Amino acid sequence: MAAGRRPPAADGPGVTTALADLPTPALLVDRERMEANLAAMAAAYRAAGVALRPHFKTSKCVAVARRQLAHGAAGFTCATPAEVALLQDAGVEDVLWAHQPVGPAKVAFAVGALGRGGLTVALDSVESAEPLARTAEAAGVAVPYVLEVDTGLHRAGVDPGRAVEVAGALAALPALSLRGVITHEGHLAAYGPDRAGLEAAGALAGRTLVQVADALRADGHACPLVSVGSTPGANSAPFAPGVTEARPGTYVYYDANQVRLGSAGFDQCAQTVLTRVVSTQRAGTVIVDAGIKAMSSDAIATAGVLGVVCDLEGKPLDGVEFTTGHEEHGFLTGPGTDGLRVGDLLRVIPNHACGTTNMWSGLHLVDGARAVDHHPIEARH
Ligand SMILES: Cc1ncc(COP(=O)(O)O)c(C=O)c1O
């Protein structure tokens, strides 16, 4: 590891580093906030008898996944082969790959990963299923799968009215066995700050998926798993009677987008980017050392374009906007920048935690004003 890449905090148990001594920019995760997020979501689902299968894409960090397991997660959801492999290598026994395994490389990977056991794949058509089914049959590997259903996002997933027909066609293929149905109610983000409308749409997505499961059972299919998943919908969709599982991902850290959607408050946002003011040459603009390679520019959520600028305690600063960024320079503007000086430390709550994670190869776990541990972020593109 090159000098300066890691702070002393990574060097051994019990060694901690003041935030002021970390190299900037740095990705921080507030331990207390993360633990509270994990505990609250796990408790809500435990009380409702709904299994929790978090999406791993938000952290891509095995140490965080282990904390989710400790809070009672039943398994994980993944989007990419690298995420699946990382969790399987870490010994996680129940993984849902919620993405269609299409193309020779993904089919070969899927058959190998299915052969290790504990993996379920998502399918939504005969076209996506057939090469996998034939390759798995030749290898003598079983393919437990869930049928992905579109409850409004209009991404992947069969229309609810076609689920019975598609499941029937898939039943004719070798090696496949249906475990249930999944949906990602990602369309809830379109409701913006209309929380009541968002929750009504979330409940409807849950009910729609349960109706699909009932229709499949009436047609003779076993359908034990009825799985919804999103952070905006985390307090609505999973509570539709008949839903068995919830797959929120972003809840581990939350972010500015989730605050705007009413899923959390800023005081629950556990992921921040630590950055330092490096130049104040022009009146009205302050330059920091976190640019677009440190942040995710996804979905402008609040007044700030690249994230919400906070003080060192993680409290949003009035009148400071993260207006734009170059690769390694961020531009802060607004009346609140008047008091900022070269060398000042700030923390930025990203718009989108999952996109920001993908920018970084490691995170500092933070207790108060000290970094107490460093964990790798893996399975990035
Ligand atoms: C299939 C699937 N399940 C669950 C999730 C988790 O949703 P969120 O990021 O809102 O927590 C996602 C997010 O992209 C997803 O694609």
Side-chain angles (χ1 to χ4, degrees), residues 279-350:
S279 179
T280 57
Q281 292 298 312
R282 265 148 295 279
T285 303
V286 160
I287 304 298
V288 294
D289 60 3
I292 57 171
K293 284 184 172 171
M295 309 300 305
S296 159
S297 55
D298 280 22
I300 298 159
T302 61
V305 172
L306 282 174
V308 173
V309 182
C310 301
D311 64 16
L312 208 47
E313 278 75 51
K315 196 168 148 291
L317 289 175
D318 284 337
V320 181
E321 294 187 5
F322 199 149
T323 318
T324 188
H326 291 176
E327 290 183 46
E328 302 291 1
H329 295 80
F331 291 65
L332 309 187
T333 58
T337 57
D338 287 352
L340 294 176
R341 300 284 171 266
V342 168
D344 284 353
L345 272 179
L346 299 166
R347 286 166 83 167
V348 183
I349 297 173

Side-chain angles (χ1 to χ4, degrees), residues 55 57-58 77 98 148 155 182-184 228-232 247-251 258 352 354:
H55 205 307
K57 50 123 190 182
T58 305
T77 310
E148 184 168 356
R155 191 173 69 178
I182 66 163
T183 195
H184 168 49
V228 299
S230 75
T231 294
R247 309 183 319 276
T250 310
Y251 83 102
Q258 293 302 328
H352 187 193
C354 316

Side-chain angles (χ1 to χ4, degrees), residues 30-40 67-68 71 252 270:
D30 184 285
R31 195 187 58 80
E32 214 172 292
R33 289 184 181 188
M34 179 185 79
E35 288 290 329
N37 295 342
L38 299 185
R67 292 306 306 147
Q68 291 173 297
H71 281 276
V252 57

Side-chain angles (χ1 to χ4, degrees), residues 80-183:
T80 68
E83 291 170 3
V84 171
L86 182 58
L87 287 179
Q88 285 193 324
D89 289 348
V92 174
E93 283 167 5
D94 192 344
V95 176
L96 169 64
W97 183 10
H99 212 292
Q100 284 66 35
V102 173
K106 279 186 182 164
V107 166
F109 170 80
V111 171
L114 286 159
R116 296 173 73 172
L119 179 66
T120 299
V121 299
L123 301 170
D124 69 354
S125 71
V126 170
E127 293 88 328
S128 65
E130 195 154 22
L132 174 64
R134 304 269 173 231
T135 312
E137 183 192 31
V141 166
V143 183
Y145 82 96
V146 287
L147 184 65
E148 184 168 356
V149 177
D150 176 19
T151 55
L153 177 59
H154 305 327
R155 191 173 69 178
V158 289
D159 284 346
R162 290 195 56 236
V164 170
E165 173 202 330
V166 174
L170 293 177
L173 294 178
L176 303 185
S177 63
L178 182 66
R179 279 195 68 197
V181 284
I182 66 163
T183 195

